[in-house]
Amino acid sequence: MPPTSGTLPPDRRLVLVRHGATVWNAEGRFTTRTDVELSPAGREQAEAAGKGLAGIAFDRVICSPLQRARATGETIAAAAPSAPPVTVDERLREIDAGPFEGLTGAEIEAGPMAEEFHRWRSETDPTWPDGAETYESAAARARSFFDDVRDLPGTTVAATHGSLARVLVTAVILGISPTLHRRMWLDHCHCAVVALDEAPPRLTALNVAARNIGV
């Protein structure tokens, strides 16, 4: 099958959207399981994403249960002329940072968990302290989610979290080690786009503003 033209969207695609910013994000704190709401800046980002995606025909919005992602997904859906349904999926929850939750990198480096922190972030041989979710676990639920949506018709927008979205891209779409997700980045309310018309699926955009995805 020839590649899809760059001027036309695929018939089926998945748009991963990182949620808008929170106060903890602004402070550089690990924000995973804690249900922190969007900051005023984050709400503005979600509204801008909704406007940016309003011209794109998408069929459904699926979001993480955490309110920062849920509010982002609901805002995007509310701006769409088609009023797509919004559902919550636990598999889109952020990867749990365990004992590092709520701390900044500087606070961890200056404390008793500095060595554990470096082992956790290793690309070659990571280890997980008690309470932290393993990449194997995160990649498994990301793959389970992807397998359930990949054959749905049209476009699915998934409002999720930065680390989970990047692990989905590395481990599921690109088939590489999820440890490499740290070499990628996804800004708040920016998108990763996966075309689903062909096998294997293709990553067509990463860290792109919603308004720049195209129609």
Side-chain angles (χ1 to χ4, degrees), residues 81-101:
S82 60
V86 179
T87 58
V88 171
D89 194 312
E90 287 283 342
R91 293 172 294 185
L92 292 176
R93 186 183 292 271
E94 182 60 298
I95 303 170
D96 196 334
F100 308 121
E101 180 76 358

Side-chain angles (χ1 to χ4, degrees), residues 181-198:
H181 81 282
R182 297 188 190 280
R183 298 193 188 188
M184 300 178 176
W185 189 245
L186 199 59
D187 289 313
H188 291 107
C189 283
H190 278 50
C191 307
V193 183
V194 181
L196 303 173
D197 287 346
E198 302 176 31

Side-chain angles (χ1 to χ4, degrees), residues 9-18 53 56-64 73 76-77 82 84-89 91-92 145-160 168 191-197 213:
D11 290 333
R12 294 183 298 106
R13 61 183 167 180
L14 172 64
V15 179
L16 299 166
V17 184
R18 185 186 179 191
L53 290 171
I56 296 173
F58 57 93
D59 300 87
R60 66 199 63 83
V61 176
I62 307 175
C63 52
S64 157
I76 289 171
S82 60
V86 179
T87 58
V88 171
D89 194 312
R91 293 172 294 185
L92 292 176
F145 169 78
F146 181 76
D147 287 346
D148 282 350
V149 302
R150 67 176 304 166
D151 292 324
L152 293 177
T155 294
T156 299
V157 172
T160 183
L168 192 157
C191 307
V193 183
V194 181
L196 303 173
D197 287 346
I213 288 177

Side-chain angles (χ1 to χ4, degrees), residues 25-45:
N25 292 143
E27 294 174 348
R29 301 188 180 281
F30 280 96
T31 313
T32 62
R33 65 180 179 272
T34 305
D35 202 6
V36 184
E37 66 180 2
L38 293 177
S39 65
R43 288 192 290 273
E44 290 180 3
Q45 291 167 341

Side-chain angles (χ1 to χ4, degrees), residues 112-153:
M113 294 189 294
E115 186 175 343
E116 279 186 300
F117 182 61
H118 287 288
R119 291 199 299 266
W120 178 59
R121 292 173 67 87
S122 169
E123 286 188 359
T124 56
D125 189 25
T127 60
W128 286 267
D130 289 344
E133 184 179 11
T134 66
Y135 292 147
E136 181 180 21
S137 170
R141 59 186 173 90
R143 183 176 298 280
S144 174
F145 169 78
F146 181 76
D147 287 346
D148 282 350
V149 302
R150 67 176 304 166
D151 292 324
L152 293 177

